[in-house]
């Protein structure tokens, strides 16, 4: 009996979405194969058929999460013109994004786990981060491409670090203070 390719794609998409959501929320060590499979509504066997391993699911989650940024940066640039950096910073450090562990940006949520991952995951992450930096650099002012790229890395580092600090503090007031200060720095930078 032939398998329905649309159903297979839908199941794969559900598993990638579940893996992405759970790794963002819990980190790599905070969720297992059974938890991802259960969240996706599939068996562990289906999980292994698709991903091969927990690391395979993590790689898919990183790819999907960074693709969201790759798609989002040009959208912010198109919608906000010269003010796109300010709009992006306000969104990125805003309370809604800050407080949603399931939708938190993969750059913030997954980078610490990538730092502990193997060379294949690091290489895939590096490639996508390079694409993100190139997209950001295209929307920045600066005399040369290397200057705009340097500024793009600075902006990303500021936003990712700021969001990490704001989420790590136990004080909502401190989180708001950090977010406001980082947004102001991003607008100037």
């Amino acid at each position: 009996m032939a398998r329905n390719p649309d159903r297979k794609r839908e199941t794969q998409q559900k598993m990638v979405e579940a893996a992405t959501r759970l790794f963002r929320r819990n980190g790599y060590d905070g969720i297992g194969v059974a938890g991802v499979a259960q969240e996706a509504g599939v068996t562990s066997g289906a999980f292994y058929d698709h991903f091969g391993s927990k690391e395979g699911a993590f790689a898919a989650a990183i790819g999907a999460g960074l693709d969201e940024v790759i798609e989002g940066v040009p959208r912010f640039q198109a919608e906000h013109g010269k003010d796109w950096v300010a709009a992006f910073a306000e969104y990125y450090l805003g309370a809604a994004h800050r407080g949603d562990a399931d939708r938190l940006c993969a750059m913030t949520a997954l980078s610490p786990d990538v730092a502990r991952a193997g060379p294949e995951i690091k290489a895939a992450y590096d490639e996508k981060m390079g694409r993100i930096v190139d997209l950001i650099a295209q929307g920045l002012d600066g005399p040369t491409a290397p200057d705009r790229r340097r500024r793009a890395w600075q902006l990303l580092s500021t936003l990712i670090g700021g969001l990490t600090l704001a989420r790590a503090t136990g004080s909502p007031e401190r989180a708001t203070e950090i977010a406001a200060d980082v947004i102001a720095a991003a607008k100037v930078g």
Side-chain angles (χ1 to χ4, degrees):
M1 180 197 261
R3 298 183 83 184
N4 181 340
D6 290 336
R7 182 171 163 86
K8 184 176 181 180
R9 274 192 297 277
E10 289 172 10
T11 300
Q12 289 172 340
Q13 184 61 33
K14 280 182 13 183
M15 287 191 291
V16 170
E17 288 171 0
T20 302
R21 186 171 47 253
L22 291 174
F23 284 128
R24 283 176 173 168
R25 183 187 319 149
N26 302 304
Y28 184 82
D29 289 336
I31 190 68
V33 168
V36 175
Q38 181 179 9
E39 178 86 2
V42 301
T43 65
S44 293
F47 174 96
Y48 283 111
D49 284 346
H50 179 71
F51 295 123
S53 66
K54 181 178 173 181
E55 188 172 271
F58 186 61
I62 292 165
L66 295 180
D67 283 345
E68 290 174 4
V69 181
I70 289 168
E71 294 166 9
V73 168
R75 208 169 36 248
F76 269 90
Q77 291 170 335
E79 289 174 11
H80 300 282
K82 290 186 69 125
D83 295 327
W84 83 269
V85 170
F88 187 71
E90 288 171 6
Y91 159 77
Y92 200 79
L93 282 126
H97 183 242
R98 223 174 40 234
D100 188 354
D102 290 352
R103 299 289 309 146
L104 183 64
C105 178
M107 295 184 301
T108 296
L110 303 178
S111 292
D113 288 319
V114 171
R116 292 182 284 274
E120 289 180 16
I121 287 180
K122 285 181 179 180
Y125 175 88
D126 185 59
E127 185 273 326
K128 289 203 185 250
M129 288 300 292
R131 288 177 55 197
I132 291 167
V133 165
D134 289 341
L135 289 168
I136 290 171
Q138 290 171 13
L140 298 176
D141 293 330
T144 66
D147 179 61
R148 291 186 298 277
R149 192 168 164 80
R150 177 185 53 76
R151 289 187 54 231
W153 279 118
Q154 290 171 343
L155 176 62
L156 268 182
S157 298
T158 300
L159 294 175
I160 294 167
L163 184 55
T164 300
L165 289 171
R167 286 182 48 78
T169 185
S171 161
E173 294 81 14
R174 176 78 66 207
T176 300
E177 175 187 2
I178 292 167
D181 289 345
V182 171
I183 290 167
K187 290 177 180 180
V188 172

